[in-house]
Structure formats: C-alpha cells, structure tokens
Amino acid sequence: MSAPSSQDRPDVDTLRALVSPRSIAVIGASDDPTRIGGRPLGYMLRSGFQGPIWPVNPKRETIQGLPAFASVDALPAAPDAVIVAVPAAVVPETLEACAAKGAKAAVVFSSGFAEMGDEGRQAQDRIRAIARAGGIRVLGPNCLGVFNAHNGWIATFSSSVEREPPAPGPVAVASQSGAYGSHAFALLRARGVDTGIMITTGNEADVDLADAIGYLVRDEATRVIVAYAEGIRDGDALRAALAEAAAACKPVIFMKVGRSQVGAAAAASHTAALAGSDRVYDGLFAQYGVMRVDSTDQLLDAAQIASRGLFPDGDRLGLVTISGGVGVQMADAAEDCGLSVPEMPADAQRELKELLPFAAVRNPVDVTAQAFNDLTLIGKNLTLMLEKGGYDVVVAFFTVVAGAKAIAGPLIEILTEARASYPDRAMILSLVATPEIVRQYEDAGYPVYEDPTRAVAAAASVMRFGRFFARPAEPAPPAVPAGAPAVPAVMLAEHEATDLLEAWGVPFVARRLAKTADEAAAAAAAIGGRVVLKIASADIQHKTEVGGVIVGVEGNDAVRAAHARLLDRVGSAAPAARLDGVIVAAMAPDGVEAVVGVQRDPTFGPVVMVGLGGVLVEVLEDVAFRLAPFGVAEARRMIASLKGAKVFEGVRGAPPADVEALAGLLARVSVFAAAEAGRIESVDLNPVRVLPKGQGVVALDALIVPVTG
Amino acid sequence: MSAPSSQDRPDVDTLRALVSPRSIAVIGASDDPTRIGGRPLGYMLRSGFQGPIWPVNPKRETIQGLPAFASVDALPAAPDAVIVAVPAAVVPETLEACAAKGAKAAVVFSSGFAEMGDEGRQAQDRIRAIARAGGIRVLGPNCLGVFNAHNGWIATFSSSVEREPPAPGPVAVASQSGAYGSHAFALLRARGVDTGIMITTGNEADVDLADAIGYLVRDEATRVIVAYAEGIRDGDALRAALAEAAAACKPVIFMKVGRSQVGAAAAASHTAALAGSDRVYDGLFAQYGVMRVDSTDQLLDAAQIASRGLFPDGDRLGLVTISGGVGVQMADAAEDCGLSVPEMPADAQRELKELLPFAAVRNPVDVTAQAFNDLTLIGKNLTLMLEKGGYDVVVAFFTVVAGAKAIAGPLIEILTEARASYPDRAMILSLVATPEIVRQYEDAGYPVYEDPTRAVAAAASVMRFGRFFARPAEPAPPAVPAGAPAVPAVMLAEHEATDLLEAWGVPFVARRLAKTADEAAAAAAAIGGRVVLKIASADIQHKTEVGGVIVGVEGNDAVRAAHARLLDRVGSAAPAARLDGVIVAAMAPDGVEAVVGVQRDPTFGPVVMVGLGGVLVEVLEDVAFRLAPFGVAEARRMIASLKGAKVFEGVRGAPPADVEALAGLLARVSVFAAAEAGRIESVDLNPVRVLPKGQGVVALDALIVPVTG
C-alpha cells in the first residue's frame, strides 16, 4: 500500500462532518440493537443524537422505530456522515453511492481489508481513491468507529458504551486500535473522567491518527488528547499535528507500542504501517512536549490530572504525609520523576514546629496522624507550604484516615480555604476510601490516587506539561549557510565529505589533501606538531581495516616514511581502490568523545542522533534522536537527555566539556539534514571531540551516504 | 541507640505469644471504642478473639461490657500478650509489671520515644532492657500494633479494620510503618486478597522487622510475606530470615524506601536506623529471591498473584488478545520484564489458523473479537497454547468484551476446562468489568488486571519466584585457602596487599619487588617483555599522582633508566614517604576492564562489588553488590545483572571475555571478605582485566584499607 503523503492530505477541518455531523445515515442498519448494524442506532436513540438519523435497509419499513430508506439514493438529503455496516465486498460501491449523494464522511466498520492480505489491501486502496475522488472522509475500514458525546453521535459498536452513553468531557481519545481506545475510555469513565470524543482509525484507508489528533487540537471542547498508535503512516502530518497541539498548549498523552524487539515484530506482522525506529518517537515527543506512556495506568493517571487543566510550570514538589516512611517513598518517586523536593524555609519550619510539635517539618512534612485530631492544623500547614514553601504542587498521603466519612467534608473545606489564594497550584491526595468519598474529593478538585508514588508521578506529569507550555520563545534553527553545497548522488571520499560539511558549519581539525610525499611533508609542516595520515579514497569507507590510518607522526622524515608505508599497506589490502591521495590532519586536542549522525527515518525523514563515544554507550544504546531541523535550545536538551550526560561535566578530574559548542554543531547538522533531506541516506561524524569549555568541538571524521539512483 | 546484635536475639519463636496469644490484657483500656485504648477491645469483641480478654483500668468496673481489673497485678493469670495504651512516661513501669506478672509479649502503641530525641531514646533503651531482662517481647513503641485474623487478635488502633474485621488469608504484612502497613492491607482487601496477619514494628525497641519476617516464614498460615522497611537495624537477622524464606519457598515482596538521595535524607531524619547503601539491598534481595517493589501497585499486583501459590518455573509467556495493538503492548512489557514470548510451533499455528481464519497465530495470538461469537474457539486456542506452545503463563486481554455478564460464566467454564490438564500453569486476564464480575473471575482462579502491562508484570513476578524456588542446589562458596594470611591492622603497601590477596586466590600479573636498579633489571629480564615499574610504599596510595608509575619499559638499560626516573620523581613529590623499593610487573594482556571491591556495609557487613571499568560506568553507576560470602553461581548472576554485561560477550570485534574466571574471582574475594570481615574496611581491585575466554582474569592493582585501632 502506498502511504498517503502530506501533500495531498485534505485539511483536518474536513473531519468536522465525521466527528460532529448534523445529519447521519446508517447503511446496513439493523432492527436488532445487539447486532453491529443495530448497535449505533440503539446507542444514539438513547444518547439523543441532535439531528436526523436515517437508517438504510431495503428490507424494512422501520428500523428501531425510525422510518427506513431503501437505498442511499432514496435519502431525503445528503447526510453529513454515514455509518457503513455492510459486508466488505459491497463497501466500495456503498461509499461511491454515499459520495454521489453528497455525504461528507463515512465510518466503515467492515473488516476484511488490508489486515487480510493483498486482495484486501487492493480493496482498501480503492476505498482511499473513492474518498479522495468523492471528497468524502472515510474512517476505517476495520475500525470501531467514533463517538462524540457533545452531540450524541455514537458511531461505534463498542460494548464499552453499552452500560451508559459517554458523557461530554474534556478528554478525547484518538486510537488506531478500537479495542484499546474503548478500554481506555471505559477505565477513564470508571475514574470519573469523561471522554467527550473517541476516534478509532482502524486500517486508516483515509483518515489516520494524525488527522484525528489534528482535528482534536482544534476542537474547543477537547482539553486533553489521549493517543494510541502502533505505527504512523504520515510522519510529517503527525509532526504538524503535535506542533499545533504544543502551540495551543493542549496536552497530548501518547502510547506508542512496539518499543521492544518482540513487540516491534508483532507490530510489523499486525499492521501495514512502516515501523521506523521506535527511539525516534522519543525524540519527536520530546520536541513537542508530548508525554509518552508505556502502561495503561500511566495513561489514565496522566489524563485524569491533566483533565483539570492546571499545569504549574515549576518542578517544586511539596510532600505531606502522616507516615514518615511514605514521605520517604514519595521523595524517592519524586527523584525518579525529576522533581525537586526542596526544604521548607527555616522560618516556616520553626512556625510549623510550633503548630505541630510532633511533626517532621522539612519536606516531606510528616504531620503525623495526630494532626487529624484538629484538622485546622492541616490547613495551616498547607497555607505555610504554599506561601512560604512556594511549592507548585502538594501531594498529601492521608491513607484510610482521610477516607472516613466524617473527615472528608471538613477536610475538603479546610484544604480549599488554604488553597484559595493559590489557584494556580495543584493538590493531589493519596488515600483509601469508598468510591463515593473518593468522588467527593475529586469533585472538590482533589485528584485521588491510592498509590502514593502514582500521585507523585501524576504531579510530575502536569508540571512537565506546565514547564513545556511556559517555555519562552526559542531560537529558530540556524540559517542555511550562504552558498552551502548540495550533496551529490555519488559516494564521497572523506576529504570531500569533510569539506562539504565544513561549508555547512561542521568544524573539523586542520587537514590537507596531499597527492605526493612532498605535499604530505609540506602539509604536516604547515599544520605543525604531530599529525595523522589517512588514505583518501571514496572506495574505502573503513580506513583502519586496510591499514589506512597512521597517527602521531611528527617531522619531515617521519611523515615521508609514514606516507610510503600507508600507500604500501593500502596497495596490498585494497589494490582496486582509486586513491585521491593522503589526508594529513592535525591531532585533535583531548576532550570527551561523542558521535553525531543523521539518518533517514522511513516515517519522519531526516533525524539527528547524538551519543557518547565508547564501547559501553554502544552496549547501553545511550543515544538521543530529534527530528531535523531544530534550534540550539532543543539540541541542549537532547544532549542533557543522555544517561551519560554527566561525562560532559568533567569526571575523574577532567575539565567540563564545551556542551554549548556541541549543541551548536547539532543544530547546524540538523539544518543540513533538513535542507538536504532528499539527498542523504545517512551521515556519520564519528568521533566528534568535545573540547574543554570555551574551546569548541571538532569532528575527526565524516561519512556521508547519499541517496543514489 | 545501640543496635541489637544478632548474638543476643531471642529466637523468633518467642514471637508466638505476640502474634498468636491465647490470653490477653489491655492496659489503659477505654470504654469508648473510638479511643486508642478502646479500639482494639471493640475490634476484638467483634472479631471474636479466641481466649480471655482482660481490660485493665483502675477507674471502672467494666470496660465495653467486660469485667475490668484495677492493675496488672490483679489479673487472674499471666496473659500471653498485653496491649499497652498508656502515656509514654508510665510505659516502662507498666512493662515491668507485665513482665513480673509473667506476660510473654507486649504491644506498645504509645509514642514519645526515640522519634522525639535523646530523652525519648533513653526511655526506649530502657524498654529494650526491660524486655530482655524480663523475657517479654515488646512490639513498638510508637507502633500501630499487630493483628492475626486467624484467632481474632486485633491489637491495633488502625482505622483500616474499622469497617470490617480482617479475614484469615494467605498474605502477611510486616511493616515498620503502621500507616503504610494498614494502607497496603486496606488496598489488598479491596482487591479481595486477605491479609491474615499484620505486624507493624514502629520504633523497634525490641521486636524488629527481621523478627517479624522470621516469624512469618515459620507461620504455616502465611504463604506470602509483604514487607516494608525504611532501614534495617540488624542486617544479619534480616539475611537469616530471608534465607529461611528462600529455603521454605515462601515468596517475600519487599518495599525498601530511601532509594534516592532526597529519600535517603528524609529516611535518615525520620528513623534512628542506619541507612547503609541502598544498592546493597538490591544485592541482598537478588541473593535470596526477594522481589523488590518501588510502588504500592507493584506490591499489590505481586501479592495478589503470589497469594494463589502458583509459581511456574519458566519464562515462557503466551499472549492472547482481541486487539493486535494490545498484543504488541504486552510483548513490549514482557521484554521489559525479562520474559520470553516464543512463537507458537508451526503446526500449532496452522491448526489455529484453521480454527480462526481471522487470527494472528504466532504469539501474541490475536483471536480478534470475533472469537467471542463462539467461546469454544477461545478454549481450543488456549488448549493449543498450553499443549503445543508450552507456555508457563498465559495472559489474555479481553477488555470490556469479557466484562459482559453473559460472557463471564461460560468463558470461565471453557478456560477452566482447557487448563484442567495443566494445573501448574497460570492464566491471567486483563479486562474491564463490574467488581462483581471481576470477583467471579478471581474466585475461579483468574487474577484480573485492568492494565494489560500490569498483567504481564504480575506474570513475570510469579515466574521469577518459580525459577528461584526451582533452582538446583548451587555450589557453596569456595573454601578458605589453607594458610591464607589474615589482614593486619596496618596499611599495606601494594606489593604486600597483592601478595596477601594472591594467597586468597586472587590472580595478579607476574611481579617482583626490586630494592635496587640491579634487582629491577633482573626482575624485568625474568618476567620478560615490556614491564611496568611502580613505586612500592605503604605511604603512597595514589601512585600516579606522584609520578610513581612508568609503563611499557623493555630492555636492561630502559629498566635501569626508568628505575632512576621513578625514584627521582617520587623523591621530589613525596619526600617523606618510606619506600620499600620498586615493583616490576608484567604488562597485562588485553581484555575487558572491570573493577572489584569489598566494602563494609554498616548494616550487612562485608559486601562485594563488581562493575565495568571506564568513566561511563562511573557516571551510570553500573555496579552490582552481593553480601559475602557467595558461590560462583551467584557471582555469575551478579555479573549478568550489570547493564553493560554485554561487553563481556565481545563487542566491536573483541573476543568474548572469560566471565567464568571473573565469577570465580568474585566468589573467592567474597570468601576472603567474609573470613576477614572484622579486619577489612575496604578492598579495591582496580582494574581487573578479564582476558579472552579460557585465559582467565588478572588484577593489576590492589588496595586494602584495614580496620585499624
């Protein structure tokens, strides 16, 4: 299947008819509300869809009490959207009829397409062609549909809406998997978090996950987007949608599965989508402030708290506990989540100690269970923590004690009073109570988590969004250097690659190409000090393997001897290679070794990679990716995200390294990668030496693999 | 506070009176069942304690309907256990009276002891002295008490037992924190997992967490132990208790908080216990098969499934799903948990494909929601997976579909029939249903997790226990070498340290101590090839800093010159150092660099450490610990637990390293560390070079810091 490209994508606003139609038809409507063609009708009659519903069924006069129509043609007008619940074989002609009638969107439940092999894939391609030609947006096939609780449009046969209709709420779910989308929806509802819109994209013949997210970003009722994907068809469109979400300060919580080897294999066999490198998604999500989750609970926890719309932009966590040990546990969790747990100021500690002589008052503040004998103490403590501690979020562990019926009401009152002057700060509770009492706390604005470490993680998730949303404007990617050369469609020798990249702003050590021993000696003298001699040939990519590198050569005679030895060794090891000469290069100063690369991701195009040099990093796969192009601020964060980033600070007596120079290099490489996207397969700068602070960075070697043919 | 040492610990069997008393008294009993002195009485009257209850209160004739006694003296007989709910000031005299009366155990709720500073600490020491002198075991002070649902003994004032009394069950909770213990108890109960015994140890004047675990290991009704600690007072006792649990194949799920810097600081300010290195706990837990958990949900998930007593000893996970994407997600989780997700055999795949033409049949097996139209297909699939796939545990994601009331009964029947021939395999479900339907599945033997990744983690937890319990007998730690020398109480020079350690079985490169240039030249000639010259002096620990090392010296003249240069350099840099001469050592062959160390942990005594050499490992803190002594099998696992262990397999063309030799070295070092425990502060073997497979391992340097004075 050919993936749709961004160029011919209809604008996401065309999804309005799909997600928020004013009139609808059900093709293959069933009178039996338990059958696939009957369920949406039943659901909508209950939820009260705000517009005409036209069942299409040639065999019956009425369907579930509504007048039925014999065909699409016979409909009284063009419906905004249609539900297609017919066998796979007649889906294309049905869609053609709908398009001819003037329908703007269709939801295709039917399975038996790309998931069934080549024939199905062809039928699916036909659906896409019909959609584009007829100007009708098609959801599916093989999908669980869409619902919009805001207008009662329930175009799904999911049993998750059976017990009660979805209620309008701030969360929207966009999921490739119908089963997982409705699983998340059902669990969110069980927590009292309402999902106003769910869109499941199934086989994505036309509408894909990027469309769905893009639409939801612009949808005013949606304040939190939960997304689920196995693989993305159009990376550019997803990137654009996430960029729009970031600009709109709308939180996106994303589960992308297929992280592991076995998971990726399962995903490849399951979906027709290209896999690409999962690690690239980490980079994409970091760039656009998306929260990636690996488990359903992380997803639910984050959606639950994000739905409150409170995103403090700091990282200061205040901890209240009635158990010293759980305070410790929450502090552990805070460090795991990258939050700070700063001490209360000394004067506030003194004040607290007077109020609560039994308490530990640093932070975590252990008010002990005794504070529950006089709840005003809990309020006074909270006031002090917000006012003097300045915490962005306070998490309190009150366990079963706050679960008592007699406690909940008064405690809520006291907490709310204490928080009144700090509406931008959040408070989260960890307690155990009946569902009714939990609801009481939730309704009053206090998200409840039974697990105190999950409460801390939830705090971290909103603060992470808050810091991202509050980020000041960042430097744009560097400009393309004037006259920077394009990458040719042929393999370049190292000296050609370094010259080209130098023009794009990549610093290399001083070097010269020498055709003869005389030229080599002259080059060495001009460069000065000890030099490296390397064979120059586009035919030789791994120079050390043919003895094509000699390091630490100094003095006229030594250079000439090394030159002769090099040509001799390469002559025997690679007699067929065309040689351009020998590169004479300066020895690079000491520094921290890094590797920088560019790869062409099948989904997202050019991505830039950075890692530390050395064998262990290879073993630990400690590398970071970002989609090109990006600015220097993003590059700094990219470097900081490496597990081994501390090496740049200077360990074992080494001076701090020039991280700023490395960040600049990465940003310039990203501009090169983006500008030359169509011409580059990959680029390797390995190693790149990061010199002591203020002294810059130099690449020692370069390899460009161009797109050829 | 002086920590109790293992030597004078009463046997844990003395806890029987504390946990399972036959007669009890309540000192400070209150007629008001909401007060601390009244709650346990109220709880026990409801739970039906199986024995006499004697309230002690001089002011009343009856307490909550029971005849009251004026004093401990006035009791009709010696109670097995007493509850002490009196002000801190009178606790010691109360305990003395109880001991005099012949009581065997006391539960002290009262706070105001070590947690309040020095004075309280002294009072607490007195409690301990009374306990030991009077032969009475004391729980607390400042604790939430103990309960035993098996005989109705509810010696706690926790409100977690207020709604309903605890029910006899297979789980026991041993917790230093009363609040956290009862939090875990309440949440386990909410999941339908009953905690038969809870012991909270509070300030641990006498009974500590090791006692509690030790007792529970021997308690027949207890089949799963959940433990919670902030710091351990007696490492030897904990180790002994965990060893006994391992030998009894009783699973221990342990939350030890204070992992992080800020957490450890909070723990230090909160408890009087010594912190030690948190990483040592990882080693201890690995050695004894304890599952360490970091969050409440991990703890609950593991306890929930472990309480079923089914511990398959493999790592083969079968995955069933009705959503391809969730299959991928579960496969990701399986890899995270170290499980394998092997494919179904080809013939079984063919057979499955015939049954379920729509299905993906490799593993994950995606039966699709269509299988729910004919549940027998789900049964046939499960039979095939158990019979031909040979999976140890099968996890199935059935989401809301299996939550339908009409499905649960028939599905349970079909699953149970399929599993009848494989009673040693477990099956776990991920679904969404009402509590009643979840209970129906649970009661039928199917643990239910809403989050599919948590279902996989739960599977991993029981298989991990299973593999540990099924482990064949392992080689004992190596014997102490005959005539191996003791570590003296003075600092040793390097050559003395290497000679000593060589006698304990640590291989070093060939080396000689040379007093003169002549001797150095002779030594170099005898060793042959290039050598290293190192200054030999107990006064110089960091030789390179004083220019005391010259490497790669070869030939008579060069050795003599290097010898002179070395003495000259050290003479100026460290003129006061007493010199023993110069060590002439062979250059070690190439290999993988590792570091091996011994440390004296304040809690657990001698621990052995291994890590990879190099700056990044230092930054990433990729080291593993084990308590000494241990055998070679444990050493192998210790090495394998390093994140960078793959380096030993040979990367970038390097040959595989002699891991077996390194394991042997670690085991021998552990024997040395244990035998010389009282005399060693620390040992460093840095670097240790692990040669190619079959060629062994050599240490290049050794530093022993002895316990002095």
Side-chain angles (χ1 to χ4, degrees):
Chain A
M1 194 190 66
S2 57
S5 75
S6 295
Q7 283 69 44
D8 68 345
R9 293 178 73 90
D11 190 89
V12 295
D13 286 335
T14 57
L15 261 66
R16 183 164 313 277
L18 177 70
V19 183
S20 203
R22 282 155 308 170
S23 58
I24 64 117
V26 182
I27 328 290
S30 168
D31 198 49
D32 178 351
T34 70
R35 304 198 54 168
I36 286 184
R39 288 191 195 179
L41 269 178
Y43 297 155
M44 278 187 281
L45 290 172
R46 194 181 46 175
S47 67
F49 172 69
Q50 296 160 15
I53 303 176
W54 298 318
V56 175
N57 185 328
K59 295 183 191 151
R60 300 184 63 100
E61 299 261 304
T62 65
I63 297 282
Q64 298 190 38
L66 295 171
F69 299 86
S71 68
V72 172
D73 258 0
L75 292 176
D80 272 359
V82 299
I83 294 172
V84 177
V86 300
V90 293
V91 165
E93 64 199 65
T94 306
L95 287 173
E96 274 168 346
C98 292
K101 184 74 185 178
K104 301 196 193 84
V107 179
V108 182
F109 293 160
S110 327
S111 57
F113 291 89
E115 80 280 10
M116 292 301 286
D118 279 341
E119 210 174 313
R121 196 166 290 122
Q122 283 161 23
Q124 188 168 313
D125 283 350
R126 209 175 136 211
I127 291 180
R128 178 161 181 269
I130 294 165
R132 291 299 154 89
I136 183 172
R137 298 306 308 263
V138 176
L139 189 66
N142 190 26
C143 80
L144 210 63
V146 54
F147 71 65
N148 181 349
H150 303 285
N151 74 344
W153 163 235
I154 316 289
T156 178
F157 60 97
S158 168
S159 55
S160 65
V161 297
E162 216 165 72
R163 262 188 290 158
E164 46 173 336
V171 174
V173 173
S175 174
Q176 288 179 335
S177 161
Y180 190 73
S182 48
H183 190 73
F185 153 69
L187 292 173
L188 281 168
R189 188 169 57 182
R191 291 187 180 208
V193 181
D194 286 316
T195 300
I197 298 177
M198 177 165 85
I199 307 173
T200 72
T201 56
N203 284 14
E204 302 191 335
D206 170 26
V207 173
D208 63 13
L209 194 75
D211 279 314
I213 294 174
Y215 178 83
L216 294 169
V217 169
R218 297 183 196 173
D219 177 65
E220 284 195 8
T222 298
R223 288 191 282 117
V224 179
I225 299 171
V226 168
Y228 175 93
E230 288 142 34
I232 289 295
R233 274 154 229 276
D234 184 340
D236 289 347
L238 181 65
R239 186 180 189 177
L242 296 181
E244 208 171 320
C249 294
K250 197 170 273 197
V252 179
I253 298 158
F254 209 123
M255 181 183 285
K256 153 71 178 67
V257 302
R259 284 178 291 119
S260 65
Q261 261 186 318
V262 58
S269 82
H270 168 58
T271 71
L274 291 164
S277 161
D278 182 79
R279 297 291 303 276
V280 171
Y281 285 88
D282 287 329
L284 168 72
F285 293 154
Q287 272 170 291
Y288 295 102
V290 172
M291 178 177 175
R292 182 172 191 170
V293 293
D294 291 332
S295 78
T296 302
D297 280 322
Q298 282 176 345
L299 184 155
L300 301 172
D301 286 358
Q304 178 181 350
I305 190 161
S307 70
R308 303 191 166 269
L310 210 51
F311 302 103
D313 62 1
D315 70 351
R316 294 169 64 88
L317 182 67
L319 293 169
V320 181
T321 180
I322 60 163
S323 149
V326 177
V328 175
Q329 185 183 333
M330 295 193 293
D332 284 346
E335 190 167 294
D336 291 345
C337 297
L339 295 178
S340 70
V341 185
E343 266 188 53
M344 289 279 279
D347 62 326
Q349 290 198 32
R350 272 192 302 276
E351 215 171 316
L352 255 183
K353 200 77 192 172
E354 270 170 43
L355 282 174
L356 297 155
F358 282 85
V361 293
R362 269 164 45 130
N363 185 31
V365 174
D366 179 5
V367 296
T368 79
Q370 300 196 16
F372 274 80
N373 297 332
D374 175 4
L375 291 180
T376 63
L377 293 173
I378 291 177
K380 285 175 187 159
N381 170 49
L382 181 57
T383 303
L384 268 173
M385 290 183 80
L386 292 172
E387 183 190 324
K388 302 211 166 157
Y391 301 111
D392 298 296
V393 179
V394 173
V395 175
F397 175 74
F398 289 154
T399 182
V400 290
V401 177
K405 214 168 180 174
I407 295 283
L411 181 59
I412 286 171
E413 205 168 298
I414 275 165
L415 294 178
T416 303
E417 196 188 312
R419 286 178 60 223
S421 312
Y422 306 94
D424 55 333
R425 320 279 186 87
M427 180 158 195
I428 303 175
L429 302 177
S430 179
L431 52 82
V432 183
T434 61
E436 295 69 37
I437 290 175
V438 167
R439 184 57 34 85
Q440 204 180 334
Y441 282 108
E442 294 265 0
D443 288 349
Y446 300 93
V448 171
Y449 298 86
E450 287 176 342
D451 183 335
T453 68
R454 279 170 67 179
V456 169
S461 71
V462 281
M463 286 195 265
R464 191 174 163 281
F465 281 123
R467 292 193 303 274
F468 187 86
F469 295 153
R471 213 182 252 180
E474 298 206 333
V480 170
V487 174
V490 295
M491 198 68 210
L492 298 175
E494 181 194 340
H495 61 285
E496 295 166 327
T498 55
D499 287 351
L500 190 150
L501 285 163
E502 201 164 50
W504 283 90
V506 177
F508 287 91
V509 290
R511 69 211 177 277
R512 289 196 188 182
L513 179 66
K515 302 274 184 193
T516 64
D518 286 345
E519 283 183 23
I527 290 167
R530 298 163 75 214
V531 295
V532 187
L533 271 65
K534 301 192 272 189
I535 199 72
S537 167
D539 294 338
I540 298 173
Q541 282 182 33
H542 301 288
K543 293 182 284 290
T544 48
E545 289 176 10
V546 295
V549 179
I550 298 177
V551 302
V553 187
E554 189 166 11
N556 188 42
D557 295 348
V559 171
R560 284 172 187 278
H563 183 266
R565 199 155 80 246
L566 201 64
L567 290 182
D568 187 47
R569 291 203 298 217
V570 172
S572 4
R578 287 157 301 175
L579 307 184
D580 293 338
V582 167
I583 298 167
V584 180
M587 296 284 280
D590 282 347
V592 176
E593 297 242 316
V595 292
V596 171
V598 175
Q599 290 170 23
R600 190 167 64 119
D601 185 82
T603 307
F604 296 103
V607 297
V608 176
M609 186 271 287
V610 68
L612 285 155
V615 65
L616 280 172
V617 167
E618 194 172 295
V619 166
L620 301 173
E621 292 173 13
D622 184 19
V623 292
F625 292 91
R626 290 293 187 273
L627 272 54
F630 50 82
V632 70
E634 190 64 51
R636 275 184 216 119
R637 287 189 292 268
M638 183 183 180
I639 298 165
S641 77
L642 294 172
K643 293 190 214 93
K646 218 174 137 188
V647 171
F648 291 118
E649 295 169 17
V651 287
R652 290 194 184 169
D658 201 335
V659 174
E660 200 50 34
L662 178 61
L665 168 67
L666 287 167
R668 291 191 299 278
V669 167
S670 81
V671 167
F672 164 69
E676 297 292 299
R679 287 185 281 273
I680 301 172
E681 199 61 58
S682 70
V683 177
D684 278 295
L685 300 172
N686 185 7
V688 167
R689 197 160 287 168
V690 189
L691 308 182
K693 209 165 182 167
Q695 296 178 32
V697 63
V698 283
L700 305 195
D701 202 344
L703 175 66
I704 299 177
V705 179
V707 171
T708 51
Chain B
M1 193 191 64
S2 56
S5 75
S6 294
Q7 282 70 43
D8 69 346
R9 292 178 75 90
D11 190 88
V12 294
D13 286 335
T14 56
L15 262 67
R16 184 163 310 276
L18 177 69
V19 183
S20 202
R22 283 156 305 172
S23 58
I24 64 116
V26 182
I27 327 289
S30 167
D31 197 48
D32 178 349
T34 69
R35 303 198 54 168
I36 286 184
R39 288 191 194 180
L41 269 178
Y43 296 155
M44 278 187 280
L45 290 172
R46 193 181 46 174
S47 67
F49 172 67
Q50 295 159 15
I53 303 176
W54 298 318
V56 175
N57 184 328
K59 297 182 189 148
R60 300 185 64 99
E61 298 262 304
T62 65
I63 297 281
Q64 297 189 37
L66 294 171
F69 298 86
S71 68
V72 172
D73 258 1
L75 292 177
D80 272 358
V82 299
I83 293 171
V84 178
V86 300
V90 292
V91 166
E93 65 200 63
T94 305
L95 286 173
E96 273 169 346
C98 292
K101 184 74 186 177
K104 301 196 194 83
V107 178
V108 182
F109 293 159
S110 327
S111 58
F113 291 89
E115 81 279 9
M116 293 300 286
D118 279 342
E119 211 174 312
R121 196 166 290 121
Q122 282 162 23
Q124 188 168 312
D125 284 348
R126 212 179 133 208
I127 290 181
R128 178 160 181 270
I130 293 165
R132 291 301 154 90
I136 183 172
R137 299 306 308 262
V138 176
L139 189 67
N142 191 26
C143 81
L144 210 62
V146 54
F147 71 65
N148 182 350
H150 303 285
N151 74 344
W153 162 234
I154 316 289
T156 179
F157 59 95
S158 169
S159 55
S160 64
V161 296
E162 215 164 75
R163 263 190 288 157
E164 45 173 337
V171 174
V173 173
S175 174
Q176 288 179 334
S177 160
Y180 190 73
S182 49
H183 189 72
F185 153 69
L187 292 174
L188 281 167
R189 187 169 59 180
R191 292 190 179 205
V193 180
D194 286 316
T195 300
I197 298 176
M198 177 165 86
I199 307 173
T200 72
T201 55
N203 284 15
E204 302 190 337
D206 169 26
V207 173
D208 64 13
L209 194 76
D211 280 314
I213 294 173
Y215 178 82
L216 294 169
V217 170
R218 298 185 195 173
D219 178 65
E220 284 196 7
T222 298
R223 289 190 283 117
V224 178
I225 298 171
V226 167
Y228 175 94
E230 289 142 33
I232 289 295
R233 273 152 231 277
D234 184 341
D236 290 346
L238 180 65
R239 186 180 188 177
L242 297 181
E244 208 172 320
C249 294
K250 198 169 274 198
V252 179
I253 298 158
F254 208 123
M255 180 183 286
K256 152 72 177 66
V257 301
R259 284 177 292 120
S260 65
Q261 259 187 320
V262 59
S269 82
H270 169 59
T271 71
L274 291 165
S277 162
D278 181 79
R279 297 290 305 276
V280 171
Y281 284 88
D282 287 328
L284 168 73
F285 293 156
Q287 272 170 291
Y288 295 102
V290 172
M291 178 177 176
R292 182 173 191 169
V293 294
D294 291 332
S295 77
T296 302
D297 281 321
Q298 283 177 344
L299 183 154
L300 302 172
D301 286 356
Q304 178 181 349
I305 190 161
S307 70
R308 302 191 167 270
L310 209 52
F311 303 103
D313 62 2
D315 69 351
R316 295 169 65 86
L317 182 67
L319 294 169
V320 181
T321 180
I322 60 164
S323 149
V326 178
V328 176
Q329 186 183 331
M330 293 193 293
D332 284 347
E335 189 168 294
D336 290 345
C337 297
L339 295 178
S340 70
V341 185
E343 266 188 53
M344 288 280 279
D347 62 326
Q349 290 198 31
R350 273 193 302 276
E351 213 170 319
L352 256 183
K353 199 78 191 174
E354 271 170 43
L355 282 174
L356 297 156
F358 282 85
V361 294
R362 270 163 44 131
N363 186 31
V365 174
D366 179 4
V367 296
T368 79
Q370 299 196 16
F372 274 80
N373 297 331
D374 175 4
L375 291 180
T376 64
L377 293 173
I378 291 176
K380 285 173 188 161
N381 170 49
L382 181 57
T383 303
L384 269 172
M385 290 183 78
L386 293 172
E387 184 190 325
K388 303 212 165 157
Y391 302 111
D392 299 296
V393 179
V394 174
V395 175
F397 175 74
F398 289 153
T399 182
V400 290
V401 178
K405 216 171 179 172
I407 295 283
L411 182 60
I412 286 171
E413 207 168 296
I414 275 166
L415 294 177
T416 304
E417 197 188 313
R419 287 179 58 225
S421 311
Y422 306 94
D424 55 334
R425 320 280 186 86
M427 181 158 195
I428 303 175
L429 302 178
S430 178
L431 53 81
V432 184
T434 61
E436 295 69 37
I437 290 177
V438 168
R439 183 55 34 85
Q440 204 179 334
Y441 283 107
E442 293 264 2
D443 288 348
Y446 300 93
V448 170
Y449 297 87
E450 289 176 340
D451 183 335
T453 68
R454 277 169 68 179
V456 169
S461 71
V462 281
M463 287 194 265
R464 190 174 164 283
F465 281 124
R467 292 194 303 274
F468 187 86
F469 296 153
R471 212 182 252 180
E474 298 206 332
V480 170
V487 174
V490 295
M491 199 67 210
L492 298 176
E494 181 195 340
H495 61 284
E496 296 167 326
T498 55
D499 288 350
L500 189 149
L501 285 162
E502 201 164 50
W504 284 89
V506 178
F508 288 92
V509 290
R511 69 212 177 275
R512 289 196 188 181
L513 180 66
K515 303 274 185 193
T516 64
D518 285 346
E519 283 184 20
I527 290 166
R530 298 163 76 214
V531 295
V532 187
L533 270 67
K534 302 193 271 190
I535 199 72
S537 166
D539 294 338
I540 298 173
Q541 283 181 33
H542 301 288
K543 293 182 286 287
T544 48
E545 289 176 10
V546 294
V549 180
I550 298 176
V551 302
V553 187
E554 188 166 10
N556 188 40
D557 295 348
V559 171
R560 285 172 186 277
H563 184 268
R565 201 155 81 245
L566 200 65
L567 291 182
D568 187 47
R569 292 202 299 216
V570 173
S572 2
R578 288 156 301 174
L579 307 184
D580 293 337
V582 168
I583 299 167
V584 180
M587 296 283 281
D590 281 349
V592 176
E593 298 242 315
V595 292
V596 172
V598 175
Q599 290 170 22
R600 190 166 65 119
D601 184 83
T603 307
F604 297 103
V607 296
V608 176
M609 186 271 287
V610 69
L612 284 155
V615 65
L616 281 172
V617 168
E618 193 171 297
V619 167
L620 301 173
E621 292 173 12
D622 184 19
V623 292
F625 291 92
R626 290 294 186 273
L627 273 55
F630 50 82
V632 70
E634 190 64 51
R636 275 185 217 118
R637 286 189 293 269
M638 183 184 180
I639 297 165
S641 77
L642 294 172
K643 293 190 213 91
K646 220 174 134 187
V647 171
F648 291 118
E649 294 170 18
V651 287
R652 291 193 183 170
D658 201 336
V659 173
E660 200 51 33
L662 178 60
L665 169 67
L666 287 168
R668 292 192 298 277
V669 167
S670 82
V671 167
F672 164 69
E676 298 292 300
R679 287 183 281 273
I680 302 172
E681 199 61 58
S682 70
V683 177
D684 279 295
L685 299 172
N686 185 6
V688 167
R689 197 159 287 167
V690 189
L691 308 182
K693 210 164 182 169
Q695 297 178 33
V697 62
V698 282
L700 305 195
D701 202 345
L703 175 66
I704 300 177
V705 178
V707 172
T708 52

